Amino acid sequence: MPPSLALLPLLGPVALLAVYFLARRQPGLRPRDVLAASRWASCLVLLIALIAVLATAVQGPATSALIGWNGLGLSVRLDAISGSLFVLVAFIGVIVLQYSRNYLDGDPRQGRFLGGMCLTLAAVIVLVLAGNLFQLVGGWIATSLSLHRLLVFYRERPAAQVAARKKFIIARISDASLIVAAISLASAFGSSDIATILQRASVSVTTPFPIALAALLLALSAMLKSAQFPTHGWLPEVMETPTPVSALLHAGIINAGGFLIIRFADVMLLFAPSLHVLAIVGGFTALFGAVVMLTQTSVKVSLAWSTIAQMGFMLMECGFGAFSIALVHLIAHSLYKAHAFLASGSVVEISKTEWQPDLEQGPPVVQVLASVAMAIGIYVGVSEVFAGLGLFAHDSAAMRTLGAILIMSLSLLLAQSMRGRAPGPAIVRIALAAAGATTAYFILQTAAASVLSSTLPPIPVPSTAGLAIMLLAGLSFFGVTLLQILAPARTNRAGWRAARVHLENGLYANVIFNRLVGALRPPAQAAHYRRERS
């Protein structure tokens, strides 16, 4: 694609910004022009994204000419990573904006809300299409600031103000980390162009201090952006915002940390300790979030904890060097979780099925062993089929570790289906679903490895420390899986009831963080609102 034509995707954010400025003129109830403009602009962005991906597939990756001076300005990098994220953000944007038209219908600030959503989408697109460090940092900061406006949309809600305060503080630390990392990268590689940096990093045989510092700061910035422990507490609390915002979070906002690490994969490989940090923190957050999620009674809060866990798992995959799998995980989770939030109001109707497993009765040991054997059989059978076709090989410790974790997940699913008096057809259906999920895993993994082979580096050979971290991750996931299988039968025991209370409160890590950042002080707007009401 000619560099001049590669700038065309920027028409998408321009169209969304036009809706934002129109909304400033029509911020109120049922703004006719804003409603129409937001629909047409979002559809235009999706069309541009599809054209950009098609052009990239035909003509290969490209970086546009720079609109600016001396590396400072706007440029577009189109490749498999940015193209897939561009389509993802545009597709979710169309759905969420259409949903918002009905969800906010009757709200006196409907126009303002739609304008804020368009502004945030524009910032995310600028971020994922960034061709230089200046634009990347600018998009990173703009995404956070525009999201903040949505988090405090209902300023009279104290809980929303507290969550936004914490998110604002964490985001500014993340911004500072990325700024220093960008300066270090530009200094070490002599360029602010991202494609140039990645090309030089891929052939580098040394790791000077600026590169090591940049890799560590990239990891820190990504973890802060993606709500990793112990800075995760704001995410479950933003449920005070309108539901479309929760869905929009999964359009390149909460998962921007994963995008950042995947984008700079070649740089991260130059300093293995940065990957180890991601694997340790991400793995712990994944386990922590998954366990706490099971104790939540609110549907949306439970989904938020699930997002925390999934973001941790995604960063753990990056820490293992499985960047292509992490990108597939990012896309799949974004689509699933955006839909889950938009459908959260219908959870009661969705959960009405003919049969539900008896969660108060744990499966006997023989059923647990049977479920593990079935899971191993399904995984081995599907993997051997793919290996026989030459599409998959167990050629890395990272793939073996992720495969073992998948087997544990299948074991949990199958064990749950055997609880109580489970009918045979139900077990067969769940076994077939497990086989289908395993097949989809291998298909997506194979497709991603093929499409991204020229964009992302292969999975590296782990060091001794990396192997130890992978072994620890496997054992930890095994322990949590066993806990999830056996815990329901022990819910009436005093020790388990006490543990549930502590887990439901996230082991109070969020309370400690609140005190550290002063988030418990009531914001001025909320205090003023309470005084007026009293």
Side-chain angles (χ1 to χ4, degrees), residues 293-421:
M293 176 193 70
L294 299 176
T295 66
Q296 303 302 308
T297 56
S298 167
V299 174
K300 290 178 65 176
V301 173
S302 178
L303 290 173
W305 278 103
S306 172
T307 293
I308 292 172
Q310 292 295 330
M311 292 302 99
F313 195 86
M314 180 179 62
L315 290 181
M316 184 186 75
E317 292 168 333
C318 292
F320 290 169
F323 300 107
S324 60
I325 297 176
L327 182 60
V328 172
H329 187 176
L330 188 158
I331 295 171
H333 175 259
S334 296
L335 295 172
Y336 155 71
K337 195 56 66 66
H339 172 268
F341 271 108
L342 296 181
S344 60
S346 305
V347 68
V348 176
E349 288 76 10
I350 293 173
S351 63
K352 290 180 180 178
T353 58
E354 295 181 359
W355 170 80
Q356 290 287 336
D358 184 2
L359 297 182
E360 298 299 326
Q361 181 180 348
V365 175
V366 65
Q367 291 184 353
V368 174
L369 294 177
S371 65
V372 173
M374 289 176 62
I376 294 175
I378 290 171
Y379 181 86
V380 172
V382 175
S383 64
E384 288 303 318
V385 170
F386 276 79
L389 296 173
L391 300 176
F392 174 77
H394 302 275
D395 56 357
S396 69
M399 292 306 304
R400 294 190 184 97
T401 303
L402 294 175
I405 294 173
L406 176 60
I407 291 174
M408 296 174 206
S409 301
L410 297 177
S411 300
L412 176 61
L413 177 66
L414 293 168
Q416 288 177 337
S417 72
M418 296 180 182
R419 287 177 181 166
R421 298 178 180 178

Side-chain angles (χ1 to χ4, degrees), residues 200-235:
R200 293 176 181 175
S202 65
V203 298
S204 177
V205 294
T206 61
T207 308
F209 175 75
I211 296 178
L213 176 63
L216 285 174
L217 290 176
L218 287 172
L220 174 62
S221 186
M223 291 186 294
L224 292 171
K225 192 78 166 185
S226 294
Q228 297 299 281
F229 185 91
T231 61
H232 61 280
W234 64 270
L235 185 55

Side-chain angles (χ1 to χ4, degrees), residues 123 126-127 132-145 178-179:
V126 169
L127 169 64
N132 63 85
L133 295 175
F134 176 81
Q135 181 179 336
L136 180 81
V137 172
W140 187 272
I141 297 173
T143 299
S144 176
L145 294 177
L178 184 59
I179 290 172

Side-chain angles (χ1 to χ4, degrees), residues 274-300:
S274 64
L275 296 178
H276 297 163
V277 170
L278 285 172
I280 293 172
V281 175
F284 177 81
T285 304
L287 294 170
F288 175 71
V291 173
V292 175
M293 176 193 70
L294 299 176
T295 66
Q296 303 302 308
T297 56
S298 167
V299 174
K300 290 178 65 176

